[in-house]
Amino acid sequence: MVKSISVLGCTGSIGRQTIAVAEHIGMPVAALTANRKIDLLEEQARRLHPRFVAVYDEQAAKQFKIAVADTDIQVGSGIEGLIRAATMEETDCVVTAVSGAVGLKPTLAAIDGKKRIALANKETLVCAGDIVMARAAEKGAE
């Protein structure tokens, strides 16, 4: 049973649907990430109270940090932020719903952390499917 999730790409269609399901079943969301849709991201963050939020776009991350300055949410940015969201200790399932090859590094990091991966990003497998699947088998990640 999954205890807590991180949603990489929370403002896209799959990310929004994942959040709706998590809210419906009462599953905690430890981390959220988005590229630059910070208005929707702020709404989600205030509603879900994740410990960490990453915004991939550096300029948007600065704006988001200001927007949530009145909360205790930690804010990160860039690929490092996505990797941190994917490897948080309290997260046992990572939903990778980001667009493009940007999902590869956080997915590999989550695998290294033996997380369960809910992969909704075909590019990760198209670009490096053999590497991803071999690493998952080696590390015992689902």
Side-chain angles (χ1 to χ4, degrees):
M1 173 62 102
V2 173
K3 297 175 194 145
S4 178
I5 62 172
S6 288
V7 184
L8 312 185
C10 66
T11 60
S13 176
I14 293 169
R16 291 190 317 267
Q17 291 175 52
T18 299
I19 287 170
V21 170
E23 287 181 304
H24 181 74
I25 64 173
M27 179 178 294
V29 176
L32 297 171
T33 79
N35 185 23
R36 61 174 75 98
K37 291 182 186 174
I38 61 171
D39 290 340
L40 176 55
L41 179 60
E42 180 183 357
E43 177 188 311
Q44 292 171 336
R46 289 185 182 279
R47 195 171 71 239
L48 298 167
H49 309 290
R51 188 165 70 89
F52 180 73
V53 174
V55 183
Y56 188 73
D57 181 88
E58 299 286 342
Q59 287 303 108
K62 291 176 186 175
Q63 294 172 348
F64 182 78
K65 191 168 189 170
I66 293 166
V68 296
D70 62 322
T71 72
D72 62 352
I73 296 170
Q74 299 170 24
V75 179
S77 63
I79 194 69
E80 297 84 12
L82 271 68
I83 291 170
R84 179 173 173 200
T87 58
M88 293 178 61
E89 186 175 325
E90 62 267 34
T91 294
D92 56 352
C93 181
V94 177
V95 178
T96 305
V98 296
S99 295
V102 72
L104 180 58
K105 285 185 179 181
T107 300
L108 288 171
I111 288 169
D112 288 344
K114 298 181 180 168
K115 308 292 185 187
R116 176 178 287 168
I117 311 298
L119 189 62
N121 168 292
K122 69 178 182 262
E123 292 86 0
T124 295
L125 291 180
V126 169
C127 293
D130 290 345
I131 295 167
V132 170
M133 298 309 289
R135 179 92 56 95
E138 173 191 334
K139 299 291 183 175
E142 291 183 47

